[in-house]
């Protein structure tokens, strides 16, 4: 058990809809990362939050947004869903120091499998 | 251009064989991680290497960080079906802001 919790585990929705994926990081971790993994593909970095603020952005579509709340949990919002958005969405957390120094390990949740039909 | 390249992309071997997979880049990194991901699960950290030339062993797995800290290898001795999975190398980007993953090597060990 990595200590990172993601809900829901599975989600099936129709094209054009909007969904919210939730992530609770490991206790004490300030940094949360979101990744997308399509079938048989690698992990594509979407976005990172640190202590409530957006820290880095990857190849995240404008239809997608995220936020990190004061209790450090994070949500990834996916809107106007398309068939191609079907994928595994992973959240990871990491213990970045208070001075923001580089971390070396990411702990992943079990992912949310999104199916758009 | 990918920051990290991994080879081979796919590998299918028989139980008991040895194998080596590689992670390469033209950039220098302060550290590099290897993860294993099983189907339907999130990646799990195997090891972090931080020193050029460093070798770390984890049971039948041997990890090496290149002297120039640009590449790494993972060697598995006497592979078992339980080793089946996607092996990913990862580094933090130059700003230390996020983890960048290689495309992975998908290993299948047949009984």
């Amino acid at each position: 058990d990595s200590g990172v919790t993601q809900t829901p585990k599975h989600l099936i929705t129709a094209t054009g809809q909007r969904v919210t994926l939730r992530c609770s990081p490991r206790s004490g971790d300030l940094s949360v990362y979101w990744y997308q993994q399509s079938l048989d593909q690698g992990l594509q970095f979407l976005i990172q939050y640190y202590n409530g603020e957006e820290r880095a952005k990857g190849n995240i579509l404008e239809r997608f947004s995220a936020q990190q709340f004061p209790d450090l949990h994070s949500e990834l919002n996916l809107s106007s869903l398309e068939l191609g958005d079907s994928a595994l969405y992973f959240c990871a957390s990491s213990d970045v120091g208070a001075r923001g120094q580089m971390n070396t390990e990411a702990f992943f949740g079990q992912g949310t499998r999104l199916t758009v039909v | 251009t990918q920051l990290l390249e991994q080879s081979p992309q796919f590998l299918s071997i028989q139980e008991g064989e040895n194998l080596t997979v590689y992670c390469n880049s033209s950039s220098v990194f302060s550290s590099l991680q290897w993860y294993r991901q099983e189907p339907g699960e999130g990646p799990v950290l195997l090891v972090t290497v931080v020193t050029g030339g460093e070798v770390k062993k984890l049971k039948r797995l041997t990890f090496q960080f290149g002297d120039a800290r640009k590449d790494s290898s993972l060697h598995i001795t006497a592979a078992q079906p339980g080793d089946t999975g996607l092996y990913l190398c990862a580094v933090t980007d130059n700003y230390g802001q996020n983890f960048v993953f290689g495309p992975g090597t998908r290993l299948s060990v047949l009984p």
Side-chain angles (χ1 to χ4, degrees), chain A residues 1-23:
Chain A
D1 183 6
S2 67
V4 178
T5 304
Q6 287 188 250
T7 58
K9 194 167 174 61
H10 300 278
L11 196 50
I12 302 175
T13 190
T15 54
Q17 295 298 305
R18 172 189 168 95
V19 297
T20 297
L21 312 183
R22 182 188 168 100
C23 170

Side-chain angles (χ1 to χ4, degrees), chain A residues 9 33 35 37 40-43 45 48 55-56 88 90 94 100-111 113, chain B residues 30-31 33 35 37 40-43 45 48 50 86 88 92-103 106:
Chain A
K9 194 167 174 61
Y33 311 79
Y35 292 86
Q37 187 176 42
D40 292 336
Q41 298 294 312
L43 287 161
F45 170 69
Q48 178 203 3
R55 179 62 70 90
L88 270 167
F90 286 103
S94 188
Q101 67 265 28
M102 278 203 264
N103 49 64
T104 58
E105 300 177 13
F107 295 87
F108 282 81
Q110 291 196 312
R113 182 175 294 280
Chain B
S30 57
S31 67
Q33 303 90 50
Y35 294 78
Q37 183 181 16
E41 301 291 329
L45 179 71
T48 299
V50 297
L86 179 66
L88 298 157
T92 48
D93 69 4
N94 289 335
Y95 305 99
Q97 300 303 326
N98 72 78
F99 290 87
V100 176
F101 285 82
R106 194 167 296 277

Side-chain angles (χ1 to χ4, degrees), chain A residues 38-54:
Chain A
S38 300
L39 187 63
D40 292 336
Q41 298 294 312
L43 287 161
Q44 300 298 316
F45 170 69
L46 296 178
I47 198 165
Q48 178 203 3
Y49 279 82
Y50 172 74
N51 201 21
E53 295 189 1
E54 181 184 306

